[in-house]
Amino acid sequence: MSNATPPLHELSCADDYDPNSIPVPKAREVIARFLSPINTIERVSVRAALGRVLAEDVISPVDVPSHDNSAMDGYALRIADLKADAKVTLKVTGSSFAGVPFKGKVGAGETVRIMTGGVVPEGADTIVMQEHTEARDGAVTIGGGHKKGQNLRKAGEDLQQGQPALRRGQPVRPAEIGLIASLGIAEVSVYRKLRVAFFSTGDELVSIGSPLGEGQIYDSNRYTIYGMLTRLGCEVIDMGVVRDDPKLLEAAFKEAASIADVVITSGGVSVGEADFVKELLNKLGEVVFWKIAMKPGRPLAYGKIGNAHFFGLPGNPVSVMVTFYQFVRDALLKLSGRDPIEALPTFKVPCTSTLKKAPGRTEFQRGILSRDGSGNLSVRVTGEQGSGILRSMSEANCFIILAIEQGNVTSGTMVDVQVMDGII
Ligand code: AMP
Ligand code: MG
């Protein structure tokens, strides 16, 4: 069976492929066909694994729990000693505390005081919680209504020795490092971090620290891109600003592709600028330029330069963030070995703003999700939605996603939102 990916230029043969208006899902699907995870593995200590992706299953070397133990504070006993509809009194012969087990056996007519996590003593098959007992003078009285095996956690109930506790492709979060530690495992195999090189293009860009000349602006995209990549756990390689000069760009693309798994640029993909970048990239690799049916973030380039994946993001600061979150994020997760990639969740809430929206493109407006006094969620728009207004991203806590066919939105309409917080 062959799963070879067709070259990018062959996509133009597909019936529904129009590079001048490619729908968001189609662009995602095409990019996904070209991605396979990096295959270099590292061994790291449990704490160092936080934020990384497991490269191998973690197999449990032990049964979890390792012994039958109590889920409650109470008494360990034999169910056969209890009566369904009458009280019985049992002799307390000892205690089993977490970490300090009872050494003997529970015989007929006997019980052992047991605490949560305490090892269930030999002979006992049931735990009666303390609240259902009356203790007096070394004995305990218990009524009916108990079931065999209640409040007793069996050895291996959570996980049996030899079973996978975690799967390859799993991101390691606080729960996972705790779980790995609970198995007594000190080191795990993770994929190496993805190396991502990025630079900004544009003659108008100035780096912070230098004064602005006429018509110049500070380069902000390198900072947002740095932030988004760092939160995704990538190794970032900041290559600075590159002028709109074919020679300098060629050198920058070549260097980036030789040192990184992924190259990201901003600017230079819009009409007017794209032509010479296109020519250059077609010389160095295989890259397609798309006008995505979306707002903001219409122009996007994707392809390969040598072995490196290339994402050419638009120049406008909001477009950079939207295209990163909607296309690059998933791709980087997949390349990092994450499996499966969960799409960012969306849910519907009423929109309290009136929104202008033209059918024919997907829009990602910036929204503020909030709760009213009765606890009901609603969303409003941040205000001006220009793709150069980075403040709209900073004020927002969610995207309002308006589907391709959607027209204007009147106040009170239910809209899809995607929470930004924690989406890294
Ligand atoms: P371009 O796609 O290169 O035509 O850029 C579109 C718009 O985004 C222009 O107004 C640029 O000045 C602006 N822009 C491009 N790159 C950056 C950057 N790195 N930081 C801030 N704004 C930028
Ligand atoms: Mg430019």
Side-chain angles (χ1 to χ4, degrees), residues 115-185:
M115 304 307 254
T116 305
V119 176
V120 177
E122 204 186 326
D125 54 23
T126 301
I127 312 292
V128 173
M129 64 194 280
Q130 186 168 304
E131 290 81 347
H132 296 162
T133 65
E134 297 156 39
R136 190 180 319 131
D137 302 334
V140 71
T141 302
I142 301 169
H146 298 286
K147 275 211 285 273
K148 185 176 180 184
Q150 71 184 18
N151 303 321
L152 195 155
R153 297 189 288 222
K154 299 294 279 179
E157 178 180 287
D158 293 350
L159 199 58
Q160 279 165 20
Q161 184 183 354
Q163 275 186 341
L166 293 167
R167 294 288 188 182
R168 188 196 62 77
Q170 166 74 43
V172 183
R173 302 164 304 174
E176 283 74 33
I177 56 172
L179 180 52
I180 293 164
S182 78
L183 303 175
I185 295 174

XYZ file of all heavy atoms in Angstrom, residues 115-185:
513
model
N -8.143 2.248 57.772
C -8.222 3.623 57.270
C -8.112 3.618 55.748
O -7.612 2.654 55.168
C -7.094 4.478 57.876
C -7.084 4.478 59.391
S -8.680 4.922 60.096
C -8.331 6.561 60.646
N -8.534 4.708 55.139
C -8.472 4.821 53.668
C -7.054 4.516 53.183
O -6.093 5.076 53.708
C -8.868 6.245 53.228
O -10.154 6.514 53.784
C -8.916 6.366 51.717
N -6.940 3.619 52.219
C -5.628 3.248 51.674
C -4.968 2.119 52.435
O -3.967 1.570 51.980
N -5.517 1.747 53.599
C -4.952 0.645 54.375
C -5.131 -0.682 53.644
O -6.138 -0.884 52.954
N -4.135 -1.585 53.792
C -4.202 -2.897 53.138
C -5.317 -3.715 53.787
O -5.419 -3.782 55.013
C -2.862 -3.654 53.287
C -2.950 -5.057 52.691
C -1.744 -2.865 52.637
N -6.157 -4.339 52.943
C -7.245 -5.167 53.475
C -6.631 -6.445 54.044
O -5.916 -7.166 53.337
C -8.262 -5.504 52.360
C -9.348 -6.431 52.886
C -8.868 -4.218 51.796
N -6.850 -6.733 55.326
C -6.189 -7.898 55.923
C -6.744 -9.216 55.370
O -7.883 -9.262 54.888
C -6.472 -7.767 57.411
C -7.490 -6.714 57.570
C -7.665 -5.985 56.284
N -5.925 -10.230 55.440
C -6.322 -11.569 54.995
C -7.610 -11.980 55.717
O -7.776 -11.685 56.897
C -5.186 -12.531 55.370
C -5.147 -13.765 54.517
C -4.102 -14.753 55.025
O -3.056 -14.323 55.536
O -4.390 -15.965 54.917
N -8.503 -12.606 55.015
C -9.757 -13.091 55.618
C -10.905 -12.117 55.425
O -12.053 -12.528 55.291
N -10.606 -10.815 55.371
C -11.686 -9.817 55.219
C -12.060 -9.695 53.750
O -11.213 -9.832 52.874
C -11.220 -8.466 55.750
N -13.350 -9.465 53.483
C -13.783 -9.317 52.089
C -14.626 -8.070 51.878
O -15.093 -7.798 50.778
C -14.555 -10.565 51.629
C -15.716 -10.895 52.549
O -16.203 -9.977 53.252
O -16.130 -12.071 52.593
N -14.867 -7.304 52.944
C -15.801 -6.173 52.872
C -15.341 -5.087 53.850
O -14.775 -5.406 54.888
C -17.221 -6.657 53.263
O -17.595 -7.701 52.354
C -18.250 -5.543 53.237
N -15.615 -3.831 53.482
C -15.331 -2.719 54.400
C -16.666 -2.039 54.729
O -17.429 -1.702 53.821
C -14.420 -1.648 53.754
C -13.194 -2.245 53.065
C -14.048 -0.559 54.756
C -12.170 -2.881 53.959
N -16.913 -1.842 56.032
C -18.095 -1.074 56.441
C -17.596 0.280 56.919
O -16.686 0.362 57.748
C -18.878 -1.795 57.554
C -20.006 -0.901 58.089
C -19.451 -3.105 57.027
N -18.175 1.330 56.344
C -17.669 2.652 56.719
C -18.006 2.973 58.164
O -19.039 2.558 58.698
C -18.131 3.728 55.744
C -19.604 3.971 55.673
S -20.030 4.956 54.202
C -19.601 6.578 54.781
N -17.105 3.712 58.766
C -17.179 4.082 60.179
C -18.552 4.624 60.586
O -19.076 4.281 61.642
C -16.118 5.157 60.379
C -15.885 5.599 61.772
C -14.607 6.431 61.771
O -13.555 5.958 61.339
N -14.713 7.660 62.213
N -19.153 5.462 59.727
C -20.429 6.108 60.035
C -21.555 5.098 60.232
O -22.595 5.428 60.785
C -20.803 7.081 58.905
C -19.946 8.328 58.818
C -18.607 8.136 58.119
O -18.189 6.974 57.892
O -17.959 9.141 57.823
N -21.381 3.847 59.761
C -22.428 2.827 59.898
C -22.117 1.854 61.024
O -22.594 0.728 61.027
C -22.605 2.063 58.574
C -23.083 2.939 57.461
N -22.972 2.597 56.141
C -23.666 4.171 57.478
C -23.457 3.573 55.388
N -23.888 4.544 56.189
N -21.291 2.281 61.975
C -20.889 1.380 63.065
C -20.995 2.104 64.392
O -21.007 3.332 64.453
C -19.418 0.949 62.885
O -18.592 2.108 63.022
C -19.168 0.299 61.534
N -21.084 1.289 65.477
C -20.989 1.855 66.838
C -19.879 1.100 67.543
O -19.974 -0.125 67.696
C -22.287 1.601 67.629
C -23.527 2.251 67.058
C -24.785 1.497 67.521
O -24.855 1.061 68.694
O -25.678 1.317 66.669
N -18.831 1.821 67.935
C -17.674 1.163 68.575
C -17.752 1.358 70.083
O -18.083 2.442 70.558
C -16.389 1.763 68.035
N -17.487 0.271 70.821
C -17.448 0.365 72.290
C -16.617 -0.788 72.861
O -16.793 -1.941 72.443
C -18.868 0.315 72.871
C -18.879 0.651 74.357
C -20.261 0.614 74.998
N -21.323 1.185 74.182
C -22.479 0.565 73.961
N -22.689 -0.635 74.463
N -23.409 1.137 73.233
N -15.697 -0.467 73.755
C -14.924 -1.448 74.523
C -14.296 -2.534 73.648
O -14.496 -3.736 73.888
C -15.816 -2.143 75.585
C -16.432 -1.140 76.543
O -15.821 -0.061 76.722
O -17.522 -1.417 77.087
N -13.579 -2.146 72.627
C -12.867 -3.131 71.806
C -13.780 -3.963 70.928
O -13.368 -5.001 70.400
N -15.038 -3.506 70.773
C -15.961 -4.235 69.888
C -16.712 -3.221 69.047
O -16.738 -2.026 69.373
C -16.942 -5.064 70.717
N -17.320 -3.696 67.978
C -18.056 -2.787 67.120
C -19.368 -3.451 66.705
O -19.408 -4.651 66.418
C -17.167 -2.338 65.929
C -16.938 -3.448 64.952
C -17.725 -1.132 65.234
N -20.457 -2.653 66.725
C -21.785 -3.190 66.396
C -22.214 -2.634 65.036
O -22.092 -1.438 64.792
C -22.792 -2.797 67.491
O -22.301 -3.313 68.731
C -24.170 -3.384 67.219
N -22.681 -3.550 64.177
C -22.993 -3.189 62.785
C -24.346 -3.775 62.388
O -24.613 -4.952 62.678
C -21.887 -3.724 61.833
C -20.520 -3.136 62.234
C -22.196 -3.408 60.384
C -19.336 -3.775 61.554
N -25.169 -2.966 61.706
C -26.491 -3.426 61.263
C -26.438 -4.081 59.893
O -25.354 -4.422 59.388
N -27.629 -4.199 59.260
C -27.708 -4.882 57.957
C -27.542 -3.924 56.790
O -27.214 -2.753 56.973
N -27.770 -4.449 55.595
C -27.765 -3.610 54.391
C -26.411 -3.471 53.732
O -26.202 -2.545 52.940
N -25.465 -4.365 54.017
C -24.121 -4.242 53.414
C -23.916 -5.290 52.316
O -24.538 -6.348 52.349
C -23.053 -4.378 54.498
C -23.180 -3.290 55.525
N -22.806 -1.992 55.285
C -23.724 -3.302 56.782
C -23.076 -1.261 56.353
N -23.655 -2.031 57.281
N -23.062 -4.950 51.388
C -22.813 -5.861 50.252
C -21.370 -6.358 50.260
O -20.451 -5.590 50.560
C -23.047 -5.101 48.934
C -24.493 -5.097 48.496
C -24.642 -5.065 46.987
C -24.370 -3.768 46.348
N -25.154 -2.694 46.095
N -21.192 -7.586 49.851
C -19.845 -8.150 49.780
C -18.965 -7.309 48.846
O -19.389 -6.942 47.756
C -19.916 -9.588 49.254
C -18.564 -10.271 49.280
C -18.621 -11.722 48.863
C -17.214 -12.292 48.919
N -17.115 -13.659 48.459
N -17.756 -6.990 49.321
C -16.792 -6.274 48.469
C -16.942 -4.763 48.485
O -16.182 -4.055 47.814
N -17.925 -4.253 49.241
C -18.131 -2.805 49.209
C -16.927 -2.048 49.786
O -16.249 -2.539 50.687
C -19.423 -2.424 49.960
C -19.301 -2.597 51.453
C -20.598 -2.307 52.210
O -21.683 -2.293 51.636
N -20.472 -2.098 53.513
N -16.671 -0.881 49.248
C -15.593 0.021 49.712
C -14.205 -0.601 49.662
O -13.301 -0.174 50.380
C -15.864 0.528 51.135
C -17.201 1.229 51.229
O -17.574 1.950 50.300
N -17.926 1.006 52.303
N -14.069 -1.614 48.810
C -12.788 -2.304 48.731
C -12.228 -2.137 47.317
O -12.900 -2.465 46.345
C -13.061 -3.772 49.066
C -11.879 -4.666 49.394
C -12.340 -5.826 50.254
C -11.210 -5.167 48.147
N -11.038 -1.576 47.237
C -10.400 -1.387 45.924
C -9.470 -2.573 45.679
O -8.557 -2.822 46.481
C -9.601 -0.079 45.905
C -10.508 1.140 46.096
C -9.776 2.448 45.854
N -8.837 2.769 46.920
C -8.676 3.988 47.441
N -9.404 5.002 46.993
N -7.783 4.205 48.375
N -9.723 -3.288 44.594
C -8.943 -4.501 44.312
C -7.593 -4.149 43.696
O -7.493 -3.192 42.915
C -9.698 -5.406 43.316
C -11.044 -5.909 43.793
C -10.946 -6.842 44.966
C -10.600 -8.265 44.556
N -10.498 -9.140 45.772
N -6.592 -4.940 44.013
C -5.267 -4.774 43.389
C -5.425 -4.843 41.868
O -6.173 -5.677 41.357
C -4.330 -5.870 43.872
N -4.764 -3.955 41.149
C -4.798 -3.983 39.684
C -6.089 -3.460 39.090
O -6.309 -3.549 37.886
N -6.967 -2.901 39.947
C -8.276 -2.435 39.476
C -8.137 -1.261 38.486
O -8.846 -1.177 37.489
C -9.063 -2.011 40.716
C -10.417 -1.452 40.516
C -11.042 -1.095 41.870
O -11.430 -2.010 42.610
O -11.129 0.111 42.171
N -7.198 -0.344 38.742
C -6.984 0.792 37.830
C -6.163 0.355 36.623
O -6.445 0.742 35.493
C -6.210 1.922 38.523
C -7.019 2.567 39.620
O -8.231 2.263 39.700
O -6.443 3.347 40.397
N -5.151 -0.425 36.874
C -4.175 -0.763 35.832
C -3.457 -2.032 36.231
O -3.044 -2.177 37.381
C -3.160 0.388 35.808
C -2.303 0.580 34.593
C -3.167 0.774 33.350
C -1.451 1.827 34.801
N -3.343 -2.976 35.273
C -2.596 -4.193 35.589
C -1.172 -4.089 35.091
O -0.917 -3.432 34.080
C -3.290 -5.397 34.961
C -4.455 -5.858 35.813
C -5.382 -6.786 35.078
O -5.005 -7.383 34.070
N -6.583 -6.916 35.581
N -0.291 -4.756 35.802
C 1.117 -4.803 35.403
C 1.218 -5.218 33.924
O 0.533 -6.147 33.506
C 1.827 -5.825 36.288
C 3.289 -5.886 36.031
C 3.961 -6.970 36.864
O 3.335 -7.602 37.711
N 5.228 -7.181 36.618
N 2.052 -4.502 33.160
C 2.240 -4.859 31.748
C 1.287 -4.138 30.806
O 1.446 -4.191 29.595
N 0.279 -3.473 31.364
C -0.660 -2.728 30.500
C -0.126 -1.320 30.227
O 0.529 -0.738 31.082
C -2.007 -2.561 31.213
C -2.940 -3.730 31.049
C -4.299 -3.402 31.658
O -4.438 -2.502 32.472
N -5.295 -4.168 31.252
N -0.467 -0.751 29.051
C -0.021 0.638 28.819
C -0.811 1.619 29.692
O -2.041 1.596 29.695
C -0.310 0.874 27.336
C -1.153 -0.251 26.882
C -1.166 -1.341 27.907
N -0.077 2.402 30.443
C -0.717 3.414 31.291
C -0.961 4.673 30.466
O -1.930 5.399 30.679
C 0.190 3.739 32.465
N -0.070 4.946 29.520
C -0.184 6.111 28.640
C 0.270 5.698 27.253
O 1.141 4.847 27.116
C 0.702 7.261 29.154
C 0.287 7.885 30.481
C 1.405 8.770 31.024
C -0.995 8.701 30.321
N -0.310 6.338 26.254
C 0.002 5.979 24.871
C 0.969 6.959 24.223
O 0.963 8.149 24.549
C -1.295 5.980 24.035
C -2.278 4.908 24.443
C -1.772 3.566 24.018
N -2.787 2.533 24.219
C -2.574 1.245 23.958
N -1.395 0.838 23.502
N -3.526 0.363 24.157
N 1.722 6.456 23.263
C 2.570 7.299 22.417
C 1.715 8.417 21.805
O 0.560 8.159 21.451
C 3.148 6.435 21.300
C 4.201 7.092 20.446
C 4.424 6.315 19.163
N 3.196 6.292 18.359
C 2.756 7.316 17.637
N 3.437 8.434 17.600
N 1.632 7.223 16.970
N 2.252 9.605 21.725
C 1.480 10.712 21.141
C 0.746 11.540 22.183
O 0.189 12.585 21.852
N 0.757 11.064 23.423
C 0.057 11.770 24.503
C 0.867 12.989 24.947
O 2.051 12.851 25.239
C -0.109 10.790 25.675
C -0.512 11.413 26.998
C -1.973 11.844 27.018
O -2.837 11.113 26.547
N -2.227 13.007 27.556
N 0.254 14.167 25.000
C 0.989 15.297 25.579
C 1.126 15.101 27.087
O 0.196 14.585 27.728
C 0.105 16.497 25.265
C -1.249 15.958 25.002
C -1.092 14.545 24.540
N 2.260 15.471 27.612
C 2.494 15.266 29.044
C 2.114 16.541 29.800
O 2.747 17.580 29.642
C 3.963 14.873 29.318
C 4.169 14.601 30.796
C 4.350 13.648 28.478
N 1.042 16.406 30.578
C 0.524 17.517 31.378
C 0.741 17.183 32.861
O 1.291 16.141 33.169
C -0.966 17.704 31.050
C -1.224 17.973 29.564
C -2.685 17.766 29.195
N -3.116 16.416 29.560
C -4.357 15.966 29.471
N -5.312 16.750 29.030
N -4.650 14.720 29.826
N 0.284 18.045 33.756
C 0.483 17.705 35.179
C -0.086 16.337 35.545
O 0.534 15.582 36.311
C -0.249 18.839 35.906
C -0.097 20.005 34.982
C -0.213 19.423 33.591
N -1.255 15.961 35.005
C -1.835 14.657 35.342
C -0.901 13.521 34.914
O -0.747 12.522 35.628
C -3.194 14.485 34.656
N -0.273 13.681 33.749
C 0.584 12.606 33.240
C 1.869 12.477 34.061
O 2.295 11.359 34.347
C 0.915 12.813 31.762
C -0.223 12.445 30.818
C -1.370 13.426 30.799
O -1.129 14.635 30.966
O -2.527 12.989 30.631
N 2.489 13.615 34.438
C 3.721 13.431 35.220
C 3.382 12.799 36.567
O 4.136 11.984 37.082
C 4.624 14.687 35.372
C 3.918 15.868 35.972
C 5.305 15.058 34.078
C 4.892 17.027 36.280
N 2.211 13.124 37.123
C 1.781 12.481 38.372
C 1.568 10.989 38.166
O 2.009 10.165 38.973
N 0.904 10.637 37.074
C 0.627 9.226 36.795
C 1.927 8.440 36.585
O 2.091 7.331 37.113
C -0.277 9.135 35.559
C -0.707 7.757 35.083
C -1.315 6.940 36.205
C -1.717 7.887 33.948
N 2.859 9.045 35.850
C 4.150 8.374 35.603
C 4.865 8.157 36.943
O 5.360 7.068 37.234
C 5.024 9.211 34.626
C 4.365 9.242 33.236
C 6.439 8.645 34.531
C 4.899 10.337 32.306
N 4.858 9.194 37.783
C 5.497 9.075 39.101
C 4.810 8.012 39.945
O 5.464 7.266 40.677
C 5.481 10.425 39.815
N 3.485 7.904 39.817
C 2.748 6.929 40.639
C 3.148 5.494 40.284
O 2.908 4.571 41.050
C 1.236 7.112 40.477
O 0.794 6.542 39.248
N 3.734 5.306 39.119
C 4.172 3.973 38.704
C 5.631 3.729 39.086
O 6.188 2.670 38.800
C 4.021 3.814 37.178
C 2.609 4.051 36.631
C 2.602 3.977 35.108
C 1.638 3.035 37.215
N 6.258 4.733 39.695
C 7.654 4.595 40.104
C 8.623 4.752 38.947
O 9.776 4.339 39.046
N 8.150 5.343 37.835
C 9.006 5.493 36.658
C 9.702 6.857 36.699
O 9.048 7.883 36.914
C 8.166 5.344 35.365
C 7.614 3.917 35.294
C 8.985 5.690 34.126
C 6.649 3.681 34.150
